[in-house]
Amino acid sequence: MIKKRNAINKVIGRPFKRHSKIGQAPGTVIYLGKRKDEKFEVTFTHFSPEEYTEISMERPEAFVPAPGNNGVNWFNIKGLSNTQEVDAFGRSFGLIPLTLEDIVNTDQRPKLDYFDDYLFVVLKMIYLDDTNNINVEHVALVLLRKSVLLFQEVEKDVFEGVRERLRGSFGRIRSRLADYLLFALLDAIVDQYFIVMEHVGNRVEALEEKVYNHPKSDTVYEIQALKKEVLELRKNIRPVKELINQLINLDHPLISEDTRPFYRDILDHCNEIQDTIDLYREMSMSLMEIYMSNMSNKMNEVMKVLTIMASIFIPLTFIAGIYGMNFRYMPELEYTYGYPIVIGVMVLMVILMLIYFRKKNWL
């Protein structure tokens, strides 16, 4: 059965990724993504109102324990394909195997899990690369009492603004607890959704104008690609609203009351993004109908012209056929002006038919 599924997915160009997890025990840490050559690296950041420390390391055994009782620790772990290092690092913080399994499961739907000692959040980091292509990366966050663990697939991310605020002590972030750092990271991810939605909106408008004014045979493939992209974005973004709503309503000691209003701000953004992406979904689906309608109208225009031309030539062909018969005795054959009169009658018939078609708005 697995071989058959792999053959089918090979034909349609989509590899069957989950076959490696079939038969494995729950909690088995198996990476399902495509970023298998990424280097494992941990960036440790400790901050408080008075101090800021940032250290990079490549090995779990080089882990720097959280200094002192003050401040917040941010561990940014990159390279999820290194499952052994991720497993060892997560276990050092007391994460259960099921959480570690979801950390490296790049197909995991955005969700929130909560335990006595930590909160676990999974969602997608969506951003535009240098060529304006949309990238979707798997991100997992763990909120502890004084620390936030951020697991991501690749080095590139959307958190540079948060780092700059920490380094420069801008705003309130250095004076807040770990739950506010979690908010700042989630807010950075959701803010990128707006940029991606703006990019998709520009594509929808450009394609809509193309469908109306200059539809071509390959336009249908562009519409299908856009529709597939919008549906993929909707699948990854829509559950984030539910996730943030759960965080707001969750009665857990790791979420302080003075931080909840900030999560409500993210929820407002999620509502706006959801409305936008639902609109683009409807527009992308209607583009195909518009395209088919325009192509049908163009075909009808062509058929109308051909029909008019056929209607004009039918009586002319009838007259030419009459006088093309090989009978010896025909009244008009010996008439001196017979030929120009017949040609004149034909021209007059064409003129009268064109006038008639024009009055009927067929031309």
Side-chain angles (χ1 to χ4, degrees), residues 93-110:
F93 284 90
L95 305 185
I96 66 173
L98 289 176
T99 298
L100 295 171
E101 178 186 11
D102 289 340
I103 286 175
V104 298
N105 180 10
T106 56
D107 289 336
Q108 176 61 53
R109 182 180 185 270

Side-chain angles (χ1 to χ4, degrees), residues 38 123 135 139 152-153 186 191 209 229 239 265 268 283 286 322 333:
E38 297 296 328
L123 72 166
N135 287 346
V139 173
Q152 61 188 76
E153 287 189 86
L186 293 175
D191 283 347
E209 177 147 357
E229 195 170 84
D265 182 65
D268 292 338
M283 291 178 67
S286 65
I322 290 293
L333 289 180

